[in-house]
Amino acid sequence: MQTLELLAPAKDLSTGIAAFDCGADAVYIGAAQFGARAAAANSLKDIEHLCRYAHRFQARVYATVNTMLHDDELPQAVSLIHDLYHNGVDAVLIQDLRLLNADLPPIGIHASTQCDTRSADDIMRLYRCGIRRVVLARELTLEQIQSIRRQVPDDMELEVFVHGALCVSYSGRCYSSEYCFQRSANRGECAQFCRLKFVLTDKQGKAIGPQAHYLSLKDMSRLSDIQALAEAGVASFKIEGRLKDIPYVRNVTTAYHQAINSLCQAEPKRYSRTAIGDTATTFTPDIQRTFNRRYTDYFLHQPRTADVWSPLTPKALGQAIGTVIRTGQRWVEVDLAPQVSIANGDGLCYFDDGQVLQGFRVNSVQEARLSPFRMPGHIRPGTTLYRNEDTAFEQLLTKAAAPRTIPIQLTLSPTADGFMLKGEVLAHQQTIAAASISYSFPHQTAQQPQVDNMVRQLSRWGGTAFSCRKVEVTPDMHSLFLPSSTLSDMRRQLCAQLEQTLQHRSTTYRDHLHHIYNKEHASAAPHIADSIARMPRTYQQASADTPLMQCRFCLRQALGACAKHPLPHGTRPIIEAHIAVNSEPLLLELPNGRQFSLHFDCQHCQMNIYAQQ
């Protein structure tokens, strides 16, 4: 049986709980220090609370300790990992492999995406270090993932991003923020260099393309590829977004939860979820109606595609909602797409004649005629409108608060000196845990039938983590009497016992997770040293020929100038540029005059970006 894990982001405690309630099997969350999103830090107290909430569902919490560390920070990071372990965290994600030489607790260690894991050789090096889960590079194709799965041991878990923002560089190999702004992405301080606007020039400095966001990519969505990824051997499906708010996390998590559930229900003998519990969805998820820069599967099905680039804007476009029919002095009439309705306060945007993104907020709606707060300029019939702020949907997601529950079945029976109430936890069409309480109470003959009242009282589990599927009252109970207050007390005691049983079950499983390198296993030391040497902690420590970025995305290919991977027939580049023979190396130039040269490594189908000295 192959288990599938949906891994959601948690900016904070409340976002993590929302993710679990919407079907996540695990969440990843930043600790107070050393996370790759410096703005998403959390206290140990909140992380402990989240772990207790997760473990009742046999779900997991992973903490990010995935920055490159200064030498004097290593002891603090080790101490933090011990604290995280003692507060219930199931695993930590790391980038700085020097931590593997430290005295760590028996906690799972996951190699963060910042470890830049692209090949089976990369994974085997980490495997020999004691790591048993890696987050694969986002740039891999489905065929490459399949090949990796065949080449690495079965107990090495593969985690793959399926949704969210994309870095143009291989993760962990981007030094642009550090070089330009003294803010290291490998220290959790990315300055979004790839979202800036550049001019494209030839080697003489002559502009050969307009100002544009040449390194800005769309967002990833692999919602329709869940089955293909599962068949390729992926264990964990990861949603990006530790800075995203609750409505975003609810919407995206629910969409992927339903997709993974559908696969498990279609092939129950092959796939199952790692966590337990039922979710009650109070909305229909729609990833088009939440923050996005339009979507791409990002090389998953082919090594080169024209569908990854977003050079006109780095901002969210959202959902295409229709085209402009006509405009008046204070209104815009729109041919709306099927099943699209516009509400007061919605934010709409469009590209004007100069391909510059413009926007306006809707003040009032009368059928297909929209009255903006302020009438936008340069909007013409035929213009495509996008909705990047959907007020009604956001309000629906904000209010959605149906808690996750664990299905149980109960059995009430008499004992020699009282009664026993047994509860069984149901998951994956079987009982996975059980607890019982014995209650001393003298047997009394009932004056009238009591079974209906017993079932009714024992079925009331509102306000708890449990939902009662069935109450069985054994035949030898039918003639006996139990007060409703006693039945309620028995139910409360059993609830506490079931909670304790599930917490213990989850902790026991956690302590048998992948134990990392131990100093007694000296054979791992050379592999750790080799792995540490392969990734400089800062750009200053890198060799002279180290690029600022290493990218699978290729600007020359996106501009239609690659002979090996031409654009599909009839497809024109989003931006027109005139790349002449002998014009390379091409340069990207910021408005302040700083330049960066593009080098095309066609042998490895990779674009490298260097600082122009």
Side-chain angles (χ1 to χ4, degrees), residues 211-251:
Q211 272 202 344
H213 305 272
Y214 283 98
L215 299 179
S216 182
L217 303 184
K218 294 180 178 180
D219 288 354
M220 176 193 287
S221 174
R222 293 173 172 173
L223 187 59
S224 60
D225 296 301
I226 295 301
Q227 182 171 352
L229 288 166
E231 291 174 350
V234 171
S236 181
F237 303 82
K238 187 172 190 174
I239 298 167
E240 183 274 341
R242 275 197 298 121
L243 297 179
K244 294 294 193 296
D245 56 16
I246 286 177
Y248 178 94
V249 170
R250 278 183 175 145
N251 185 32

Side-chain angles (χ1 to χ4, degrees), residues 294 317 319-324 334 348-352 357-358 379-387:
R294 310 303 301 279
L317 285 177
Q319 177 189 27
I321 55 96
T323 56
V324 176
V334 182
L348 305 183
C349 59
Y350 63 96
F351 291 103
D352 65 17
L357 189 68
Q358 306 287 353
I379 186 167
R380 304 180 185 278
T383 299
T384 300
L385 288 180
Y386 303 89
R387 176 165 53 190

Side-chain angles (χ1 to χ4, degrees), residues 11 17 44 46 89 140 164 178 222 245 275 292 307-308 343 370 393 409 413 443 462 499 575 592 599:
K11 178 173 67 174
I17 290 174
L44 286 171
D46 281 354
V89 168
L140 299 182
E178 179 188 349
R222 293 173 172 173
D245 56 16
N292 72 86
D307 192 37
V308 304
L370 315 178
F393 194 56
Q409 63 183 21
S413 59
H443 291 181
E499 176 84 30
I575 288 177
N592 64 9
H599 292 246

Side-chain angles (χ1 to χ4, degrees), residues 392-531:
F393 194 56
E394 286 288 311
Q395 290 171 5
L396 181 63
L397 291 170
T398 300
K399 295 176 182 177
R404 188 170 181 160
T405 58
I406 303 164
I408 57 172
Q409 63 183 21
L410 308 178
T411 303
L412 178 64
S413 59
T415 61
D417 62 347
F419 301 89
M420 175 182 287
L421 182 61
K422 179 181 180 182
E424 297 174 272
V425 176
L426 307 175
H428 315 310
Q429 301 178 337
Q430 59 183 334
T431 299
I432 65 160
S436 61
I437 59 113
S438 295
Y439 199 96
S440 295
F441 194 87
H443 291 181
Q444 301 176 26
T445 302
Q447 300 298 315
Q448 55 186 0
Q450 293 292 309
V451 173
D452 289 347
N453 184 58
M454 293 175 182
V455 171
R456 183 167 53 253
Q457 295 298 328
L458 294 177
S459 298
R460 293 175 175 173
W461 290 76
T464 75
F466 303 98
S467 60
C468 186
R469 290 278 182 85
K470 178 183 177 182
V471 177
E472 179 184 354
V473 179
T474 60
D476 44 1
M477 284 291 304
H478 289 196
S479 61
L480 299 177
F481 169 74
L482 266 177
S484 294
S485 58
T486 301
L487 290 165
S488 297
D489 193 30
M490 294 175 71
R491 187 188 66 240
R492 284 190 292 270
Q493 289 186 35
L494 181 63
C495 180
Q497 188 65 40
L498 285 170
E499 176 84 30
Q500 184 178 349
T501 298
L502 290 172
Q503 294 286 342
H504 177 74
R505 184 178 189 270
S506 186
T507 302
T508 301
Y509 179 80
R510 182 200 66 167
D511 289 344
H512 286 84
L513 283 174
H514 318 305
H515 287 214
I516 50 91
Y517 165 74
N518 185 296
K519 289 184 178 179
E520 295 176 2
H521 304 153
S523 61
H527 302 295
I528 295 173
D530 177 52
S531 294

Side-chain angles (χ1 to χ4, degrees), residues 10 18 112 161 249 318 323 342 348 355 382:
S112 170
F161 276 98
V249 170
T323 56
I342 305 298
L348 305 183
Q355 294 298 292

